[in-house]
Amino acid sequence: QVQLVESGGGLVQPGGSLRLSCAVSGHIFSINAMGWYRLAPGMQCELVATITSGGTTNYADSVKGRFIISRHNGENTMYLQMNSLKPEDTAVYYCNALLVEAGTYGVIDYWGQGTQVTVSS
């Protein structure tokens, strides 16, 4: 029974910073990759950043240089450090994990419930 729970969202002023967390619980054999996606009103779901078990990262062009994705494997926790936030970063941010559950085979996609990030003065 795998769960992904996001936290850390909230209201922040433009130029401010926020750190999102995603805690993965359950019996996990491996987490191959994790990522953050966001959904703003009237917009498509957008990939924000991903990170593999080897530490390879990928960022959307819109957040490069401002956001940092990281993982703490021992805690099965992923973070998204968001700096220099802009109003256009306002969205619901969703945690995603590609993982293999203990005792199973194959990679399964899991999603969290989302956390609201609002950037406004």
Side-chain angles (χ1 to χ4, degrees):
Q1 191 174 32
V2 175
Q3 289 187 328
L4 278 64
V5 180
E6 301 99 331
S7 62
L11 175 65
V12 65
Q13 294 186 357
S17 297
L18 209 60
R19 190 176 80 160
L20 305 183
S21 299
C22 175
V24 182
S25 63
H27 299 289
I28 308 299
F29 174 74
S30 65
I31 301 176
N32 293 358
M34 299 185 72
W36 290 96
Y37 295 74
R38 65 187 182 187
L39 180 63
M43 304 292 288
Q44 289 185 316
C45 186
E46 176 188 24
L47 187 152
V48 177
T50 60
I51 185 168
T52 69
S53 60
T56 301
T57 58
N58 183 43
Y59 296 91
D61 289 341
S62 59
V63 306
K64 286 181 179 177
R66 299 189 297 119
F67 291 9
I68 302 171
I69 188 171
S70 61
R71 282 177 62 180
H72 291 174
N73 291 332
E75 302 172 7
N76 285 337
T77 304
M78 176 181 64
Y79 303 95
L80 183 68
Q81 178 66 47
M82 303 184 293
N83 302 313
S84 302
L85 283 162
K86 304 174 181 179
E88 50 264 44
D89 294 318
T90 297
V92 178
Y93 284 70
Y94 295 91
C95 175
N96 168 255
L98 294 171
L99 58 83
V100 178
E101 295 184 62
T104 71
Y105 61 91
V107 180
I108 299 177
D109 222 349
Y110 284 89
W111 293 86
Q113 83 289 349
T115 184
Q116 176 70 49
V117 172
T118 302
V119 184
S120 176
S121 60

